Amino acid sequence: VPGIIPPCFYISTPMVQGNQVIGAVIFSIEVNSLDRLMAANASSGSHHETGFSAFLIGSDRNYRSNDPDFLTDKAQYIKRLKHSRISASEAVKIEKSTCTAMNLNVSDDAFPDAGLGLSGHGKFITPSGMRALCSYTPVIRPGLDWILVTQVSLPEVLRPACSLVGILSIAGILLLLIVSMISFRISRTLTARIENLRGSLSSLVYKKDAAGSQIVTGDEIDR
């Protein structure tokens, strides 16, 4: 029962002898088994390392496997969940059962094409408020109306672009500093030469130095 113990899923088939049903064979599947399957389906690395994760939801939009973010850091996830659209009672129920399967659902307008048996992709806001990009496809099996969703955190996708912007910004600042230093040095050199020339011209005007001073600059000012 959700909220008391982690839910368990079942696969069953009747045992028939002649025209009579004499029993049933039932296989139980713990939710942890689905979690391991989803982890293997998403990536060879961990969700924390790669940013990619996968989970299953039903046609009722309830989680069938655990939310991958919940498995990464349960305490932090519960904390974020209590400040999201989820009611406090639902958050407490998930905290007590240590399971989001059958205890958590996504919005009804999420993955609209999956209900029509179609695959799709788009943006997705997780129950804990994380922005993600996702692709989804229906799991088409007799008597099984589930949806497989693979998602990646939007900040994770944008991280390379943000890193590139940071590198370009630093390079731009360094280039600006170098250009400023070169401009300052050239400006100071030209100012010194002009001051020298002004002093020599003043000496000639006031006849302090009738012969004139020899200015050696190595450029047009010599002439």
Side-chain angles (χ1 to χ4, degrees), residues 31-115:
V31 68
N32 294 337
S33 301
L34 293 179
D35 293 338
R36 288 193 295 270
L37 180 63
M38 291 300 98
N41 178 73
S43 170
S44 57
S46 70
H47 161 51
H48 182 70
E49 293 173 349
T50 63
F52 287 92
S53 58
F55 58 92
L56 289 165
I57 62 173
S59 58
D60 55 2
R61 296 302 189 268
N62 276 333
Y63 276 77
R64 293 300 191 263
S65 60
N66 274 305
D67 189 333
D69 292 328
F70 175 73
L71 298 175
T72 301
D73 189 342
K74 294 181 180 180
Q76 188 63 29
Y77 184 89
I78 294 295
K79 186 177 180 180
R80 293 201 311 268
L81 206 60
K82 289 179 178 178
H83 293 87
S84 67
R85 64 177 180 83
I86 304 299
S87 66
S89 60
E90 288 178 299
V92 170
K93 185 168 62 174
I94 292 170
E95 186 176 17
K96 287 182 177 180
S97 65
T98 63
C99 181
T100 60
M102 300 304 296
N103 287 326
L104 189 65
N105 65 349
V106 299
S107 59
D108 293 335
D109 57 351
F111 324 122
D113 294 339

Side-chain angles (χ1 to χ4, degrees), residues 115-218:
L116 303 175
L118 302 174
S119 301
H121 57 82
K123 293 182 180 179
F124 168 57
I125 304 296
T126 68
S128 61
M130 182 188 78
R131 294 180 301 160
L133 299 178
C134 70
S135 62
Y136 54 89
T137 186
V139 180
I140 302 174
R141 292 291 184 273
L144 187 65
D145 193 8
W146 288 2
I147 303 169
L148 173 63
V149 182
T150 303
Q151 69 179 15
V152 59
S153 167
L154 189 57
E156 191 75 24
V157 174
L158 297 178
R159 183 178 297 175
C162 293
S163 299
L164 179 60
V165 170
I167 292 171
L168 292 177
S169 299
I170 293 172
I173 293 172
L174 290 176
L175 183 61
L176 181 62
L177 289 174
I178 292 172
V179 170
S180 299
M181 291 173 63
I182 294 174
S183 300
F184 176 74
R185 186 170 181 177
I186 293 174
S187 175
R188 189 174 62 176
T189 302
L190 288 175
T191 301
R193 291 175 181 178
I194 292 171
E195 283 298 321
N196 255 343
L197 183 59
R198 186 183 66 81
S200 297
L201 290 175
S202 296
S203 297
L204 288 173
V205 169
Y206 295 106
K207 299 181 180 180
K208 294 179 181 177
D209 185 2
S213 300
Q214 183 65 30
I215 303 174
V216 181
T217 62

Side-chain angles (χ1 to χ4, degrees), residues 14-36:
M15 296 175 61
V16 180
Q17 188 175 36
N19 294 326
Q20 185 178 2
V21 176
I22 61 173
V25 178
I26 302 174
F27 298 93
S28 64
I29 304 173
E30 293 184 355
V31 68
N32 294 337
S33 301
L34 293 179
D35 293 338
R36 288 193 295 270

